[in-house]
Amino acid sequence: MATDYDAPRKTDNDDTESIEALKERVPDKLSGAVDSEDADNPGGFELAGADLSDMELDVVVLPPQDDEFTCVSCFLVKHRSQVDHEEKLGPVCKECAF
């Protein structure tokens, strides 16, 4: 039996609500306001249109470890167990070998 996925799905239990009522229930995710009680964002960053050019980031860059390599195809640092083969330019990971 073929299913038309474009057809509207209606059941007897569906309540019809206006678009305005649905918009009132759903918070506007495009607004730049940040909820101060957001557990996922404890710092309260305001990123919507903010000028971040004067911000400084402290990042610790570790040197390559003995058990790591950089794939010459995707340029990602991976564990030695992910090496598929070696080429003239260097090692290729298992994901890029396909």
Side-chain angles (χ1 to χ4, degrees):
M1 177 176 173
T3 302
D4 184 9
Y5 291 104
D6 294 329
R9 297 178 188 171
K10 296 263 182 179
T11 62
D12 296 335
N13 297 335
D14 284 344
D15 296 330
T16 57
E17 293 186 54
S18 67
I19 292 177
E20 289 78 21
L22 291 173
K23 286 181 182 178
E24 289 175 6
R25 283 193 316 173
V26 177
D28 186 9
K29 293 184 180 181
L30 297 178
S31 69
V34 177
D35 187 10
S36 61
E37 297 179 11
D38 188 5
D40 294 336
N41 191 5
F45 298 112
E46 295 182 22
L47 298 177
D51 181 20
L52 302 176
S53 62
D54 61 338
M55 296 291 294
E56 291 186 23
L57 298 176
D58 294 328
V59 178
V60 177
V61 178
L62 298 175
Q65 304 298 308
D66 293 336
D67 61 345
E68 295 177 338
F69 73 99
T70 303
C71 176
V72 296
S73 181
C74 64
F75 304 106
L76 293 176
V77 176
K78 301 203 174 202
H79 190 265
R80 279 276 170 206
S81 63
Q82 295 293 314
V83 174
D84 184 72
H85 66 277
E86 295 272 338
E87 291 185 351
K88 291 181 184 178
L89 299 175
V92 176
C93 71
K94 292 179 180 179
E95 292 179 3
C96 293
F98 292 111

